Structures are given as C-alpha cells and as structure tokens.
Amino acid sequence: MNKGTVKFFNDSKGFGFIKEADSGQEYFVHVTGLVHEIRENDEVTFDLQEGKRGLNAVNVKRA
C-alpha cells in the first residue's frame, strides 16, 4: 500500500491526481479506482496498476 495526498480531483469529470508521500511522484486516479470518495488534500492509501499511459492509482481509500 502506498500513501499520498490528493493533489487534484474533479468530481464532474471523475479523475484527478495523487501525490505519493515518499517519492513525490504523481499518479493519475479515475473514479473507477476509488473505494471511498476523495477530495483535494485528503490523505489516502492506494495501489498502483499499469494503465494506458503509465501507472494509475487504484483501490484508493481515505487514510
């Protein structure tokens, strides 16, 4: 499980980005990868899965 913070999330479009706490890397997140609803600045845990354009955050849960 990775830990990070929601940098941006657009409810109407259903996607955003999560910044990983350890590395500072940013990962794309889609609404289909959420376990809980998220908002900007929420602390979350997540897994990574290969997507069409690189790694995506999935199984995203508020910490």
Side-chain angles (χ1 to χ4, degrees), residues 7-44:
K7 181 176 179 181
F8 165 82
F9 193 78
N10 185 318
D11 284 322
S12 62
K13 295 187 178 180
F15 73 91
F17 294 92
I18 294 174
K19 185 172 183 177
E20 187 175 31
D22 291 341
S23 69
Q25 286 264 162
E26 292 184 14
Y27 298 106
F28 178 81
V29 59
H30 189 265
V31 69
T32 57
L34 301 180
V35 175
H36 301 133
E37 284 187 21
I38 60 172
R39 294 190 197 125
E40 289 178 27
N41 299 316
D42 279 352
E43 292 193 13
V44 293

